[in-house]
Amino acid sequence: MAQLMYRQAVAAAIAQEIERDPTVMLIGEDVGAGGGVFKATEGLFERFGPSRIWDTPISEQAIIGTAMGAAMTGIRPVAEIMFSDFLATCWDGIANEIAKMRYMTGGQVCMPLVIRCANGGGVHFGAQHSQAVENWAMAVPGLKVVAPSTPADVKGLLAAAIRDDDPVVFFEQKELYAQTGEVPEDEYVLPLGQANVLREGADLTLVALAGTVKTALETAERLAADVGQEAEVIDLRCLVPLDVQTVKISLAKTGRLVIVEENPRPLGWGAELTSILVEEAFDSLDAPIIRVTTEPIPLPSSPTLERLARPGVERTLEAIRRL
Amino acid sequence: MAQLMYRQAVAAAIAQEIERDPTVMLIGEDVGAGGGVFKATEGLFERFGPSRIWDTPISEQAIIGTAMGAAMTGIRPVAEIMFSDFLATCWDGIANEIAKMRYMTGGQVCMPLVIRCANGGGVHFGAQHSQAVENWAMAVPGLKVVAPSTPADVKGLLAAAIRDDDPVVFFEQKELYAQTGEVPEDEYVLPLGQANVLREGADLTLVALAGTVKTALETAERLAADVGQEAEVIDLRCLVPLDVQTVKISLAKTGRLVIVEENPRPLGWGAELTSILVEEAFDSLDAPIIRVTTEPIPLPSSPTLERLARPGVERTLEAIRRL
Amino acid sequence: MVQQARSATDIGVPDPEGIYREMLRLRHFEEKAYELFLDGHVNGTMHLGVGQEAVAAGAAATLRPDDCTLGTYRGHNHVIARGAALDASFGELFGREIGLCKGKGGSMHLTSVEHGHYGSYAIVGAHLPIACGTAWSAKLRGADSVTLCFFGDGTTNIGAFHEALNLAAVWKLPVVFICENNLYMEFTPIGEVTAVPRPAADRASAYGLKPIVIDGNDVEVVYAGIAEAVDRARRGEGPSLIEALTYRHKGHSRTDPARYRPEGELEDWMTRDPITRFVQRLQEAGWNASDLERIEREVIEEVGAAAERALASPPPPESELFTDVYCAGETSWRS
Amino acid sequence: MVQQARSATDIGVPDPEGIYREMLRLRHFEEKAYELFLDGHVNGTMHLGVGQEAVAAGAAATLRPDDCTLGTYRGHNHVIARGAALDASFGELFGREIGLCKGKGGSMHLTSVEHGHYGSYAIVGAHLPIACGTAWSAKLRGADSVTLCFFGDGTTNIGAFHEALNLAAVWKLPVVFICENNLYMEFTPIGEVTAVPRPAADRASAYGLKPIVIDGNDVEVVYAGIAEAVDRARRGEGPSLIEALTYRHKGHSRTDPARYRPEGELEDWMTRDPITRFVQRLQEAGWNASDLERIEREVIEEVGAAAERALASPPPPESELFTDVYCAGETSWRS
Ligand SMILES: Cc1ncc(C[n+]2csc(CCOP(=O)(O)OP(=O)(O)O)c2C)c(N)n1
Ligand SMILES: Cc1ncc(C[n+]2csc(CCOP(=O)(O)OP(=O)(O)O)c2C)c(N)n1
Ligand SMILES: [Mg+2]
Ligand SMILES: [Mg+2]
């Protein structure tokens, strides 16, 4: 085990896969000599050189299209779109081309590529650099969607995403880049689509993803300390494939469920999870499923306002009181 | 009253507003001399000429940006993006600029513009020309979202959208363009955000939008004929503002609710509606809320498969049986 | 500069009969497709390439099997010229099991990876960056295969065009961008919405490329022009942008009557029909009319039989609905 | 062609003292902002325009109050040059109530519609089409106001650039696109990712426009070059694209140490600092040093006092969270 920062785990996963598979390539703006604006690819250019690490112009459509053309013809590109907000600048390539090509051609192509991006708020970057848009990707059939909450998960899930034969949008939590954690030094790959039960509890279930996992865990501790209730905390890790089963099992036990998600309302991922549970586990529900989300507004840059807008421990506790 | 086709109602609304307000402009590809690929703007160029009707190059980003710049400075543009699928080619302008500018500037600008597009399947155009993506727009705070189901609603709601000071994405149902209906000949404007109860019933509630309204109504008739159950049918008409109140009142009466939506799973608009109702009307629920959606796949072009993929009367009846 | 065809006796393509037959196959495929569209057999929409056959046939003749091509919704010509079976091509238009894409793609998405044709794309401009990717891939894999990317004049005004051309030039990618300038984007004359007279060639210098305009209705000129660019690309000398002047005889799509055309324009271009011209060239070079007619009869028969086979194919089985979304073989969005 | 400044005696700007003072205000605003960033008062990120003052100040001097400007995240210079208050500008960086955008925008989105500045945009290229819109609007309203749109060299490779330039040219819009070529897109030298040596000027002909390159560190040259383009636009003669050569003294953002610069490059450009050069010009023209120094002291005081006022302003009230999403004044997504 090594102590790595979340961002170093990104580089570690890419390095592991580049070494293992000669077809893995990294492509993006300033991912090479610059090491990435978040330093998430630092050291890779020095180690693997320009034949594996490709700096591009500011041309998100070209980055995504190039990754797609390469993926169809034997390469496994890892494309960086610097901020997840910028997925909008190449959304056609992602949602209409990459996600659909396999189906439209009756399975003539595979699309083994990863689109990495920095997602979420908390760093006061304002409305165009702080969005949590994992719901945008989840809404497009044909994409897989991953959003890890720890350095170890970053390494294991990014490696899995690179090896996966389907296109994966990989959301790195901006706010967590500097967070450290234990990461296996040896080859490390996790399966996609397996939620992680991070804390057991019988009184209620908290479902979280990426940046809200910490919020859910803190809330659970507060809850235990304040009112002696034990919350089960589930880190979904992936939105597609969505591990409904793990959530259902927990709900069957607790009967009460709160979702903590960073997507703004309306239509964050918690809405689909709620809908599935209502359809398929209605009898398990002892109380309404409550969602704690970012407010339905563009994210303000002022820290005072940004804090209010995002889901936090206080708002989660308040939601639990409403159960 | 006049008998108009859905597409003629589009032109009628634009004509009404162009005549009323000298700042209303239509802009898009082939909207002018060509009359629009769906003939939805036919006759406008002949009537109002090139000073009000602006043909553009194939430059969706330029269309949307131009509309935005004009909207901030005293114009009310109606921008056509031919197929809603193509919103992806200018999603940055829509989701990151238009939707956020008012907020980011602390209210220094208004954004009175409409983005019209042809939405939905049923015409065998394949995966890139058949999507129902009203959920994409609903997921972006700052946008309003309208999707009419009848020629009269087209006229009234499009007029309202043009007069509204906020940006509105207006989804025209491709499949309905040739459908006729009574449309008021005089000035006609409907309020945004008011659902329409199209059929009363005490046994269950069917919620629909745009193309699925017909499906819901047919299902209700079948249900009445087959098993004597009376379904209340609600046409939401708008997703933002979302008329939750009308749905809640119906649910309080019927206790059972099925949503018929054309968005593919996951994360169609019905997910948010479900989540709101679960949070706020849990005690009204005598049964799970079931969603009938397009299957979670890109839309196939073969009519045989396309029919199976989209929500229809049979699948809706089957969902009702599961209540 | 519109180049002229070469001298009258030697035909400037390697296999004149093959090229002739290919252009006829494209032409008769489209005519038959139109006929069957009117009869209700084609689902959705359809965009014909009648009149533009010289570009697809001439271009395909410059390629090796391992080269890649990408085209548009007006893409029947291109996939067939690469070798896709006619019955499977028809079948895709009709939404049948026999279809190139099992009926899931439709007229706008004909694809035959088996023949190096990596797709027909229906969102204008989208495939230009993708062509950069197939070209980049060849470079990465150390293969000397080349990518050809076909698109229309209207496509030169969309952002993806710009990003793709710049990246291709910066990375010296083995890709040839071929703009089929048929004068119209849908119903609008291209000149009305473009800042320069030659929508592609007048942009070449923005990417450090040479402006190249060729007569797209002269298959020998097409062959020569594209072969040169393909050779350059194969030698590692980077991308080219070629503007081929041509014309579509039919409307934009479906049954568009094309009323926006000035009077006499179609008639004028009919005199420059690429097939008629090539027939003249062949006859001048000594081919005899009865042979040429026999070939055409053979092609008509081939096309007709292919259409019959496609019409006889059943619709895709219902079980196909959920396959091909993810590699695992079903809609595995839930685990 | 890099043009040279005009003769030594008459200063080529209408109000030399005003221009001098403006450039100093921009410079000292940025220096102060940097100092306060290091002290933790600036939230999020920040991109400084130190070294590029001549472009913003020279350009603003060519405009009328009813003209529109649009800039980028590196946009402090531009909004201040249009007349935005220094305290409100600082306040926005600090996320305070006094901020130009009530603290909701932040450093990257400084906007002052009151002064004709229609926003700072943080997604590269996004505002070029928007500038077409403000220009189109003027045309539609029969106003003869002009739009100026500022952006960087790296922005010339994104699709929105292409679409905006073409539309502006086709519709002959009264807009002047000003590329501030400061040699870098973030950490990458622009030449490494661009197919032509001059990222903007070498693309002008793709839109039927004249290539224009000016010395962006000579405020007189900037003024003259932009004034000519603004006049053209105002006369209805359409858009221009101007490439102004300049340099940012600081890193790309925040505390970027800019290690990617070759040795000596910064020092070289410091000798061409736009303010130092203008001071020399003024002195050659007879201005005396003590006056110039007095003006600078006044400006430093003005900037310092403005920063103090901003720091004294409270954060926005919590009630601001939900305002300004929709015109109705709350988050009216539900009715
Ligand atoms: C991004 C996008 N915008 C608009 C359309 C609608 N559309 C389909 S074909 C076409 C015209 C394309 O013209 P051109 O590139 O000249 O090709 P041609 O049809 O003449 O072969 C348009 C506007 C589209 N498919 N994609
Ligand atoms: C679409 C998009 N891609 C990437 C970025 C990240 N980014 C911010 S500034 C920048 C460099 C811009 O370079 P240039 O246009 O030369 O402007 P400069 O910063 O030099 O003023 C990049 C890549 C962005 N903001 N938007
Ligand atoms: Mg064309
Ligand atoms: Mg720069």
Side-chain angles (χ1 to χ4, degrees):
Chain A
M1 287 285 183
Q3 277 284 333
L4 288 189
M5 281 191 275
Y6 187 98
R7 65 162 155 252
Q8 293 171 318
V10 172
I14 297 171
Q16 170 181 298
E17 297 308 304
I18 283 186
E19 285 200 320
R20 176 179 171 272
D21 180 344
T23 69
V24 174
M25 304 285 156
L26 178 66
I27 167 175
E29 294 160 22
D30 283 314
V31 293
V37 287
F38 297 107
K39 300 198 192 351
T41 57
E42 213 166 44
L44 295 175
F45 187 78
E46 292 69 18
R47 203 161 143 200
F48 301 109
S51 66
R52 308 297 293 276
I53 313 290
W54 291 73
D55 273 327
T56 69
I58 309 177
S59 304
E60 276 76 7
Q61 295 185 69
I63 293 170
I64 288 300
T66 298
M68 171 170 167
M72 293 194 296
T73 50
I75 302 297
R76 287 186 182 268
V78 179
E80 175 176 305
I81 298 298
M82 205 179 284
F83 287 73
S84 63
D85 315 67
F86 311 165
L87 295 177
T89 65
C90 47
W91 196 236
D92 181 56
I94 298 171
N96 288 334
E97 312 299 337
I98 285 173
K100 297 177 170 51
M101 190 64 179
R102 180 178 175 77
Y103 194 80
M104 289 196 308
T105 63
Q108 291 182 58
V109 297
C110 266
M111 204 62 75
L113 61 82
V114 177
I115 301 166
R116 295 174 42 237
C117 54
N119 193 45
V123 291
H124 328 310
F125 281 2
Q128 295 185 335
H129 284 68
S130 302
Q131 292 170 86
V133 297
E134 60 273 19
N135 56 339
W136 292 7
M138 188 191 194
V140 179
L143 301 176
K144 290 181 175 171
V145 182
V146 182
S149 69
T150 67
D153 280 4
V154 166
K155 183 168 175 187
L157 294 171
L158 182 49
I162 294 171
R163 294 184 192 188
D164 200 276
D165 282 337
D166 292 317
V168 179
V169 188
F170 192 87
F171 290 94
E172 297 165 12
Q173 189 70 19
K174 212 177 290 139
E175 210 183 1
L176 298 181
Y177 272 128
Q179 185 204 279
T180 54
E182 296 278 304
V183 179
E185 275 169 290
D186 290 344
E187 184 174 53
Y188 187 57
V189 191
L190 289 165
L192 298 184
Q194 275 190 14
N196 202 2
V197 180
L198 291 174
R199 185 184 196 282
E200 305 217 346
D203 296 323
L204 81 150
T205 304
L206 292 174
V207 181
L209 181 80
T212 63
V213 170
K214 196 162 151 276
T215 311
L217 287 169
E218 278 178 38
T219 304
E221 294 307 322
R222 280 276 299 275
L223 205 62
D226 294 357
V227 296
Q229 287 188 3
E230 294 300 335
E232 186 137 305
V233 175
I234 298 177
D235 176 359
L236 282 181
R237 301 206 280 199
C238 295
L239 293 178
V240 181
L242 183 67
D243 183 358
V244 177
Q245 201 49 34
T246 298
V247 180
K248 276 190 195 169
I249 291 169
S250 179
L251 179 63
K253 180 168 69 173
T254 65
R256 302 188 311 153
L257 191 135
V258 169
I259 296 171
V260 195
E261 58 180 301
E262 194 178 338
N263 290 157
R265 258 193 134 122
L267 275 186
W269 54 262
E272 182 65 40
L273 182 61
T274 300
S275 158
I276 292 172
L277 294 173
V278 167
E279 283 191 11
E280 302 177 14
F282 193 65
D283 294 337
S284 301
L285 289 175
D286 298 332
I289 295 173
I290 308 271
R291 287 165 58 215
V292 185
T293 75
T294 292
E295 299 288 2
I297 58 175
L299 216 63
S301 82
S302 163
T304 324
L305 297 179
E306 195 194 28
R307 202 175 310 117
L308 290 170
R310 299 174 72 230
V313 174
E314 290 309 324
R315 275 175 53 208
T316 310
L317 284 169
E318 194 214 307
I320 293 169
R321 282 192 289 272
R322 275 161 55 210
L323 284 180
Chain B
M1 288 285 184
Q3 278 284 333
L4 289 189
M5 280 191 276
Y6 188 97
R7 64 162 156 253
Q8 292 171 318
V10 172
I14 297 171
Q16 170 182 299
E17 297 308 305
I18 283 185
E19 285 201 319
R20 177 179 170 271
D21 180 344
T23 70
V24 174
M25 304 285 157
L26 178 66
I27 167 175
E29 294 161 22
D30 283 315
V31 293
V37 286
F38 297 106
K39 301 198 187 0
T41 57
E42 212 168 44
L44 295 175
F45 187 79
E46 291 68 20
R47 203 162 142 199
F48 301 109
S51 65
R52 308 298 293 277
I53 314 289
W54 292 72
D55 273 328
T56 70
I58 309 177
S59 304
E60 277 76 7
Q61 294 185 69
I63 293 169
I64 288 301
T66 298
M68 171 170 168
M72 293 195 296
T73 51
I75 302 297
R76 286 187 182 268
V78 179
E80 175 176 307
I81 298 297
M82 205 179 284
F83 286 73
S84 63
D85 315 67
F86 310 166
L87 295 176
T89 66
C90 48
W91 196 236
D92 180 56
I94 297 170
N96 288 334
E97 312 299 338
I98 285 172
K100 295 177 171 51
M101 189 65 181
R102 180 179 175 77
Y103 194 81
M104 290 197 306
T105 62
Q108 291 182 58
V109 296
C110 267
M111 204 62 74
L113 61 82
V114 177
I115 300 166
R116 294 175 41 237
C117 53
N119 194 45
V123 289
H124 328 310
F125 280 3
Q128 296 186 333
H129 284 68
S130 301
Q131 291 171 86
V133 297
E134 61 273 17
N135 57 339
W136 294 6
M138 188 191 193
V140 179
L143 300 176
K144 290 182 176 171
V145 183
V146 182
S149 70
T150 67
D153 280 4
V154 165
K155 183 168 177 187
L157 293 171
L158 183 49
I162 294 171
R163 294 184 193 188
D164 199 276
D165 282 338
D166 292 318
V168 179
V169 188
F170 192 86
F171 289 94
E172 297 164 13
Q173 189 70 19
K174 212 176 291 141
E175 211 182 0
L176 298 181
Y177 272 128
Q179 186 203 277
T180 53
E182 296 279 303
V183 178
E185 274 169 290
D186 290 344
E187 185 174 52
Y188 187 56
V189 191
L190 288 166
L192 298 184
Q194 275 190 15
N196 201 2
V197 180
L198 291 175
R199 184 184 196 282
E200 307 218 343
D203 296 323
L204 81 150
T205 303
L206 293 173
V207 181
L209 181 80
T212 63
V213 169
K214 196 162 151 278
T215 311
L217 286 170
E218 277 178 37
T219 305
E221 294 307 321
R222 282 276 298 274
L223 205 62
D226 293 356
V227 296
Q229 287 188 359
E230 294 301 334
E232 186 137 306
V233 175
I234 299 177
D235 176 359
L236 282 181
R237 300 205 281 201
C238 295
L239 293 178
V240 182
L242 183 66
D243 184 358
V244 177
Q245 201 49 34
T246 297
V247 180
K248 276 190 195 168
I249 291 168
S250 179
L251 179 62
K253 181 168 66 172
T254 64
R256 303 189 310 154
L257 191 135
V258 169
I259 297 170
V260 194
E261 57 180 304
E262 195 178 338
N263 290 156
R265 262 193 130 122
L267 274 185
W269 54 262
E272 182 65 39
L273 183 61
T274 299
S275 158
I276 293 172
L277 294 173
V278 166
E279 283 191 11
E280 302 177 15
F282 194 65
D283 294 337
S284 300
L285 289 175
D286 297 333
I289 295 173
I290 308 271
R291 287 165 57 216
V292 184
T293 75
T294 292
E295 299 290 1
I297 58 175
L299 216 62
S301 81
S302 163
T304 322
L305 297 179
E306 194 194 28
R307 203 175 309 115
L308 289 171
R310 300 175 71 228
V313 174
E314 290 309 324
R315 276 175 53 207
T316 309
L317 284 169
E318 193 214 308
I320 292 168
R321 282 193 287 273
R322 276 160 56 208
L323 284 181
Chain C
M1 259 287 304
V2 180
Q3 299 167 26
Q4 295 305 320
R6 289 194 267 153
S7 89
T9 45
D10 65 335
I11 304 290
V13 292
D15 171 14
E17 181 183 330
I19 285 272
Y20 172 59
R21 193 177 284 272
E22 194 61 74
M23 289 203 289
L24 287 174
R25 292 170 84 235
L26 305 182
R27 173 67 54 91
H28 288 289
F29 181 91
E30 294 292 63
E31 297 289 2
K32 190 81 190 171
Y34 190 65
E35 183 190 318
L36 292 167
F37 183 91
L38 296 178
D39 285 353
H41 292 288
V42 179
N43 306 114
T45 186
M46 192 173 69
H47 306 73
L48 300 178
V50 178
Q52 306 186 192
E53 294 86 354
V55 180
T62 69
L63 297 181
R64 299 192 318 217
D66 63 330
D67 291 327
C68 297
T69 44
L70 296 88
T72 73
Y73 52 89
R74 196 180 306 289
H76 307 170
N77 286 347
H78 303 99
V79 68
I80 295 171
R82 284 313 299 281
L86 295 180
D87 51 6
S89 302
F90 276 125
E92 194 56 36
L93 271 48
F94 308 155
R96 306 301 173 93
E97 188 173 26
I98 196 183
L100 282 173
C101 309
K102 308 189 208 161
K104 291 175 172 180
S107 159
M108 299 200 282
H109 299 296
L110 299 187
T111 301
S112 184
V113 166
E114 184 194 342
H115 299 95
H117 193 66
Y118 279 86
S120 299
Y121 298 81
I123 298 190
V124 162
H127 63 307
L128 279 74
I130 302 169
C132 287
T134 56
W136 181 53
S137 167
K139 199 168 158 143
L140 292 170
R141 288 179 287 111
D144 70 344
S145 72
V146 166
T147 292
L148 255 59
C149 178
F150 301 91
F151 55 95
D153 44 287
T155 305
T156 61
N157 292 324
I158 202 159
F161 167 88
H162 182 63
E163 296 193 12
L165 266 290
N166 183 62
L167 190 75
V170 171
W171 286 5
K172 277 199 158 207
L173 297 176
V175 53
V176 181
F177 293 101
I178 302 172
C179 175
E180 296 185 59
N181 184 348
N182 62 9
L183 307 192
Y184 293 91
M185 57 158 271
E186 288 186 350
F187 321 143
T188 300
I190 190 64
E192 286 178 17
V193 289
T194 311
V196 286
R198 292 273 174 239
D202 289 346
R203 267 82 181 252
S205 69
Y207 314 104
L209 303 176
K210 256 195 350 215
I212 304 175
V213 178
I214 62 174
D215 180 345
N217 277 12
D218 182 331
V219 73
E220 298 171 79
V221 167
V222 167
Y223 178 82
I226 296 180
E228 192 185 324
V230 166
D231 285 348
R232 248 177 66 83
R234 219 184 286 289
R235 287 194 307 265
E237 293 167 24
S240 300
L241 173 60
I242 295 178
E243 182 168 334
L245 305 180
T246 184
Y247 195 75
R248 59 165 156 76
H249 296 173
K250 308 264 185 207
H252 167 65
S253 69
R254 299 165 63 112
T255 55
D256 166 25
R259 296 229 178 74
Y260 43 83
R261 293 171 169 176
E263 219 178 312
E265 187 181 81
L266 173 62
E267 293 66 27
D268 186 33
W269 278 91
M270 289 300 284
T271 67
R272 281 174 279 160
D273 175 85
I275 300 182
T276 315
R277 278 169 74 182
F278 196 56
V279 166
Q280 279 163 6
R281 282 282 291 135
L282 291 174
Q283 290 185 332
E284 281 163 29
W287 296 57
N288 73 54
S290 66
D291 280 342
L292 297 176
E293 279 159 24
R294 174 186 47 80
I295 292 172
E296 181 152 21
R297 276 195 310 275
E298 285 168 17
V299 167
I300 290 173
E301 204 160 304
E302 180 195 0
V303 167
E308 288 307 321
R309 281 195 302 280
L311 287 170
S313 168
E318 298 196 356
S319 61
E320 277 296 335
L321 190 65
F322 293 109
T323 61
D324 304 325
V325 183
Y326 296 100
C327 285
E330 343 115 48
T331 58
S332 38
W333 69 279
R334 289 175 52 171
S335 62
Chain D
M1 259 284 305
V2 180
Q3 299 168 26
Q4 297 304 321
R6 288 195 267 152
S7 88
T9 44
D10 65 334
I11 303 290
V13 292
D15 172 13
E17 181 184 329
I19 285 273
Y20 173 58
R21 193 178 284 274
E22 195 60 74
M23 288 203 289
L24 287 173
R25 292 170 83 236
L26 305 182
R27 173 68 53 93
H28 289 289
F29 180 90
E30 294 292 62
E31 297 288 3
K32 190 82 190 171
Y34 190 64
E35 183 189 319
L36 293 167
F37 182 91
L38 296 177
D39 286 352
H41 293 289
V42 179
N43 307 114
T45 185
M46 193 171 70
H47 306 74
L48 299 177
V50 177
Q52 304 186 194
E53 295 86 354
V55 180
T62 68
L63 297 181
R64 299 191 318 216
D66 64 330
D67 291 328
C68 297
T69 45
L70 296 90
T72 73
Y73 52 89
R74 196 180 305 289
H76 307 169
N77 286 346
H78 303 99
V79 68
I80 295 171
R82 285 311 299 279
L86 295 180
D87 51 7
S89 301
F90 276 126
E92 194 56 36
L93 270 48
F94 308 155
R96 306 301 174 94
E97 188 173 23
I98 196 183
L100 282 173
C101 309
K102 308 189 208 160
K104 290 176 172 179
S107 159
M108 299 200 283
H109 298 297
L110 300 186
T111 301
S112 184
V113 166
E114 183 194 342
H115 299 95
H117 193 67
Y118 278 87
S120 299
Y121 297 81
I123 298 190
V124 162
H127 62 307
L128 279 74
I130 302 169
C132 288
T134 57
W136 181 51
S137 166
K139 198 168 158 144
L140 291 170
R141 289 179 287 110
D144 69 344
S145 71
V146 165
T147 293
L148 255 59
C149 178
F150 301 92
F151 55 94
D153 44 287
T155 305
T156 61
N157 292 325
I158 201 159
F161 168 87
H162 182 65
E163 296 193 13
L165 267 290
N166 183 61
L167 190 74
V170 172
W171 286 5
K172 277 201 156 204
L173 297 176
V175 53
V176 181
F177 293 100
I178 301 173
C179 175
E180 297 185 59
N181 183 348
N182 62 8
L183 306 192
Y184 292 93
M185 58 158 270
E186 288 186 350
F187 321 141
T188 299
I190 189 65
E192 288 179 15
V193 288
T194 311
V196 287
R198 293 271 173 241
D202 288 346
R203 267 81 181 252
S205 69
Y207 314 104
L209 303 176
K210 256 194 348 211
I212 304 175
V213 178
I214 62 174
D215 180 345
N217 276 12
D218 182 331
V219 74
E220 298 170 79
V221 168
V222 168
Y223 177 82
I226 296 180
E228 190 184 325
V230 166
D231 286 349
R232 246 177 68 82
R234 219 183 287 291
R235 287 194 307 264
E237 293 166 24
S240 300
L241 173 60
I242 296 178
E243 181 168 335
L245 304 180
T246 184
Y247 195 75
R248 61 166 154 76
H249 296 174
K250 309 265 185 207
H252 166 66
S253 70
R254 300 164 63 112
T255 55
D256 166 26
R259 296 229 177 76
Y260 43 85
R261 292 170 170 177
E263 221 179 311
E265 186 180 84
L266 173 62
E267 293 67 26
D268 186 34
W269 277 91
M270 289 301 284
T271 67
R272 279 173 279 161
D273 176 84
I275 299 182
T276 315
R277 279 169 75 182
F278 196 54
V279 166
Q280 281 164 6
R281 281 282 290 136
L282 290 174
Q283 290 185 335
E284 281 164 28
W287 295 58
N288 74 53
S290 65
D291 280 343
L292 296 176
E293 280 159 23
R294 174 186 47 78
I295 292 173
E296 182 153 22
R297 279 196 309 276
E298 285 169 16
V299 167
I300 290 173
E301 205 161 302
E302 180 195 0
V303 167
E308 290 307 321
R309 281 196 302 281
L311 288 170
S313 168
E318 299 196 356
S319 61
E320 277 296 336
L321 190 64
F322 293 108
T323 62
D324 303 325
V325 182
Y326 295 99
C327 286
E330 343 116 46
T331 58
S332 38
W333 69 279
R334 288 174 52 171
S335 62

